[in-house]
Amino acid sequence: MRIDAHQHFWNFDPVRDSWIDDSMKVIQRDFSPEDLLPELRSKRIDGCIAVQADQSPQETQYLLGLSHQHPYIKKVVGWVDLSAPDIESQLERYQAEKNLAGFRKILQALPPSAMEEEAFLQGISLLSKYHFTYDILIFPKHLPAALEFVKKFPNQAFIIDHLAKPAIKSGEFEHWSKGIKELSEIPNLYCKVSGMVTEADWKKWKKEDFIPYLDHITDCFGTERLVYGSDWPVCLVAASYAQVFDLAWEYFQPFSEDEKAAIFGDNACEFYGINA
């Protein structure tokens, strides 16, 4: 089964979605499952994982509702206030929702010290009990803190979104590569091959720009812990759906059929609990 393990849906709200500024006008509109389906079909992708873009319980319910209406939305990565005093009772209730794979917090907007807050750590400590995954959305400056964070939870299924957003446009590599290497030594941590084009020069990127970063994550994580995702529709500020898919697909062409099947579907199914 081929899976796009990272994409979003939203009904655009200029206040709520203020992060979509005028430099991103192309995505200042609604994006629905009907918009995505032709893109999936064009690349023979069987299903996708809808990831939260707004930090609210309403967003989680919205995505879950879509997943019930559209069977190709295989799982949802939602949002919950992991620091809430009643977090365990919330997780217990959410456990009944079979399409909910796990959660994400927009850590990239916070200082690295946010990963040290006691209430947040308490919430993370409960996720594995209820079989929920956790997506880590950070920038390279967060990598040292992220390493200490994931070390605390050896039984938690973690995945790094968007390669931890390396500064591809400027070509910065050393700091990011060191941090990623250290993180990759944590066996319960996966990495998404996603979000690259938006970290490159939106207008002038070329596929060679991404090769050092792809080489490094492949060396670090191996093909058994890499997961492909498009980051649609955010990717549209820099590339079409097809261009994003083709960047990854062409890079991994020399790999074996089993390795490609792992990166483009099997690993996502294993990590997020997707049944064929």
Side-chain angles (χ1 to χ4, degrees):
M1 184 184 294
R2 193 178 288 182
I3 298 290
D4 177 347
H6 197 107
Q7 49 75 217
H8 309 281
F9 301 114
W10 60 65
N11 295 313
F12 180 67
D13 181 320
V15 176
R16 182 197 64 195
D17 303 322
S18 59
W19 62 275
I20 306 175
D21 61 26
D22 285 348
S23 71
M24 308 170 84
K25 275 187 179 295
V26 68
I27 60 170
Q28 287 181 335
R29 65 175 182 86
D30 298 351
F31 287 93
S32 71
E34 290 80 9
D35 295 318
L36 178 62
L37 186 56
E39 304 287 8
L40 298 179
R41 285 176 171 165
S42 73
K43 295 300 179 182
R44 298 185 294 111
I45 294 174
D46 303 294
C48 64
I49 295 167
V51 179
Q52 64 82 222
D54 178 52
Q55 299 193 109
S56 71
Q58 292 80 14
E59 167 91 340
T60 303
Q61 292 303 324
Y62 165 68
L63 295 176
L64 287 170
L66 293 179
S67 76
H68 296 311
Q69 297 167 34
H70 303 277
Y72 65 86
I73 304 175
K74 299 298 184 182
K75 292 285 182 176
V76 166
V77 174
W79 179 89
V80 68
D81 182 0
L82 289 162
S83 300
D86 66 339
I87 184 59
E88 183 153 20
S89 63
Q90 291 191 58
L91 295 176
E92 191 171 8
R93 290 195 299 273
Y94 272 132
Q95 194 177 29
E97 182 49 78
K98 299 306 180 186
N99 286 1
L100 185 61
F103 299 98
R104 184 175 82 156
K105 182 175 180 175
I106 312 291
L107 288 170
Q108 67 175 25
L110 301 172
S113 59
M115 284 179 273
E116 302 169 4
E117 293 177 0
E118 186 174 341
F120 174 65
L121 294 174
Q122 173 62 19
I124 293 289
S125 73
L126 295 167
L127 293 180
S128 61
K129 177 179 178 181
Y130 296 96
H131 307 290
F132 289 122
T133 63
Y134 187 75
D135 274 52
I136 302 174
L137 178 64
I138 55 173
F139 286 121
K141 69 179 182 180
H142 296 88
L143 286 168
L147 177 63
E148 297 309 311
F149 167 59
V150 297
K151 280 180 177 178
K152 292 181 172 75
F153 306 104
N155 298 315
Q156 174 60 43
F158 287 114
I159 192 163
I160 291 278
D161 289 348
H162 312 329
L163 288 68
K165 294 196 163 186
I168 298 171
K169 183 176 180 179
S170 69
E172 198 290 317
F173 186 81
E174 186 173 352
H175 169 73
W176 168 82
S177 62
K178 179 177 182 293
I180 283 290
K181 175 62 177 173
E182 291 171 344
L183 265 178
S184 72
E185 293 168 5
I186 306 297
N188 51 306
L189 177 73
Y190 284 55
C191 181
K192 283 187 185 175
V193 184
S194 61
M196 295 186 298
V197 293
T198 49
E199 302 310 311
D201 187 316
W202 294 357
K203 304 296 184 185
K204 299 178 182 177
W205 63 262
K206 53 190 183 299
K207 63 182 181 180
E208 291 78 15
D209 297 338
F210 308 104
I211 290 175
Y213 301 91
L214 288 165
D215 284 348
H216 189 64
I217 60 164
T218 306
D219 287 345
C220 290
F221 287 92
T223 56
E224 60 280 349
R225 286 190 290 144
L226 291 179
V227 175
Y228 169 74
S230 68
D231 198 27
W232 178 95
V234 182
C235 67
L236 298 179
V237 302
S240 69
Y241 190 96
Q243 286 175 308
V244 169
F245 178 85
D246 290 346
L247 274 173
W249 187 253
E250 290 171 13
Y251 176 83
F252 289 108
Q253 273 312 291
F255 289 67
S256 73
E257 292 305 311
D258 286 348
E259 289 171 319
K260 286 183 284 190
I263 294 165
F264 288 89
D266 293 351
N267 294 344
C269 290
E270 179 180 346
F271 184 84
Y272 286 114
I274 298 169
N275 299 316

